[in-house]
Amino acid sequence: MSLYITSLNSGSNGNCYYIGNDHEAIMVDAGLSCRETERRMHRLGLSMQKVKALFISHEHTDHIKGITILSKKYNLPVYITPATQRSGNLPLAEQQAIPFLPYTPVQIGGLSITAFPKFHDAVEPHSFIISGNEVNIGVFTDIGAPCEHLIRHFQICHAAFLEANYDEVMLENGSYPFHLKRRIRGGHGHLSNKQALELFKAHRPPYMTHLFLSHLSKDNNDPDVVLELFRPHAGDTHVAVASRYQETPVYNISNNGKLGPVRYTQLSIF
């Protein structure tokens, strides 16, 4: 039993994550143009006809810029909160935009998608966990701090896209103005390499087979730096970087007979 996953792109220049089974798939965010999304899907041997829905984490441009054309061309429902749609100024047809609630699973064929709140400087930001074929996949990016919501869901993942946005020394010594540095590391911006590593070390489940370090900053991080940081602690987990320049391979994520219990305990909303 398995799910197939890939990052089509991960970074401030565009974000899009594909999770599917043999029959259907969903995308979390649509931050690439429709044409570029199609190109990358084609290179991977994946079909847009298999994609049945888009799930939108928040309204920042690098997560929504491909939504309008992609959803219209392929007649895809867009699961998005009304506040996110308004803030992103997205002209979606009423029947096309479908609201979701945190901790309320949405069923798309054999896939179950559950959103939960996160710390980020957007109007109503959410992360997602996608379950199917006894496998749990987490999409955890654009997170200002590793809150209890994130910890509980990370603990049940067989694989996860986890933000490792910046190296603290590179950010501190870099050229960004002070207000932008403060925004990035201020608790509602992004996770540092160190924060991501501490989450991984403290809360990785024993059955996690893959971790994809995601949303790396172009200016304040380096794939070799973050991989070197994680390598001594990886154990049996395959750790890779989800690139901001190209798609990852398609990974087949299996539970290997080890099912993480999906417990959607309602926590207080921020």
Side-chain angles (χ1 to χ4, degrees):
M1 304 292 279
S2 60
L3 292 180
Y4 305 98
I5 71 173
T6 182
S7 166
L8 295 183
N9 202 76
S10 185
S12 58
N13 59 337
N15 296 273
C16 185
Y17 307 93
Y18 171 103
I19 301 97
N21 56 30
D22 288 329
H23 307 290
E24 59 266 326
I26 62 100
M27 286 178 171
V28 173
D29 291 332
L32 298 173
S33 70
C34 179
R35 182 173 296 179
E36 187 60 27
T37 300
E38 291 170 334
R39 285 192 187 117
R40 297 187 184 203
M41 290 280 286
H42 179 73
R43 288 199 295 258
L44 291 169
L46 298 172
S47 170
M48 279 300 304
Q49 303 304 322
K50 198 184 225 182
V51 178
K52 305 304 180 185
L54 306 177
F55 285 78
I56 306 307
S57 64
H58 64 291
E59 72 274 17
H60 292 164
T61 304
D62 53 321
H63 296 262
I64 66 170
K65 63 188 173 189
I67 290 175
T68 305
I69 296 175
L70 194 67
S71 62
K72 183 176 181 179
K73 181 173 182 177
Y74 293 98
N75 194 28
L76 295 173
V78 179
Y79 288 83
I80 187 170
T81 71
T84 296
Q85 184 181 354
R86 287 193 300 270
S87 184
N89 194 29
L90 290 168
L92 300 171
E94 183 177 352
Q95 67 273 18
Q96 191 176 27
I98 303 176
F100 62 81
L101 295 171
Y103 290 97
T104 302
V106 175
Q107 200 70 31
I108 304 291
L111 302 173
S112 179
I113 301 91
T114 301
F116 63 92
K118 62 184 177 182
F119 287 121
H120 194 54
D121 54 0
V123 64
E124 210 167 44
H126 290 83
S127 291
F128 296 97
I129 190 161
I130 300 93
S131 303
N133 290 346
E134 301 185 342
V135 174
N136 303 322
I137 308 294
V139 181
F140 310 136
T141 69
D142 297 77
I143 298 169
C147 66
E148 186 66 19
H149 296 259
L150 174 61
I151 290 169
R152 290 198 184 187
H153 288 82
F154 189 79
Q155 289 172 334
I156 64 169
C157 284
H158 295 86
F161 297 97
L162 177 65
E163 178 168 73
N165 179 255
Y166 65 95
D167 173 83
E168 293 174 344
V169 174
M170 290 177 69
L171 178 65
E172 178 62 30
N173 296 332
S175 61
Y176 279 20
F178 176 73
H179 72 87
L180 185 52
K181 293 179 181 180
R182 182 172 60 185
R183 178 249 166 183
I184 291 169
R185 60 192 178 196
H188 285 81
H190 295 280
L191 281 187
S192 70
N193 294 347
K194 182 179 178 181
Q195 287 173 306
L197 177 62
E198 291 305 312
L199 176 73
F200 178 69
K201 287 165 57 180
H203 301 291
R204 167 185 48 172
Y207 46 80
M208 178 176 278
T209 59
H210 293 74
L211 182 75
F212 301 94
L213 302 171
S214 305
H215 213 297
L216 272 67
S217 169
K218 177 184 177 182
D219 300 309
N220 302 306
N221 211 349
D222 182 278
D224 292 335
V225 168
V226 69
L227 285 173
E228 188 65 26
L229 184 67
F230 271 77
R231 189 169 289 118
H233 309 282
D236 294 331
T237 302
H238 175 73
V239 179
V241 167
S243 174
R244 60 181 290 115
Y245 300 110
Q246 62 187 22
E247 65 276 17
T248 69
V250 177
Y251 289 84
N252 184 337
I253 309 299
S254 170
N255 67 13
N256 294 318
K258 301 172 183 178
L259 175 60
V262 181
R263 296 186 294 267
Y264 297 122
T265 303
Q266 178 69 52
L267 300 175
S268 60
I269 304 302
F270 306 135

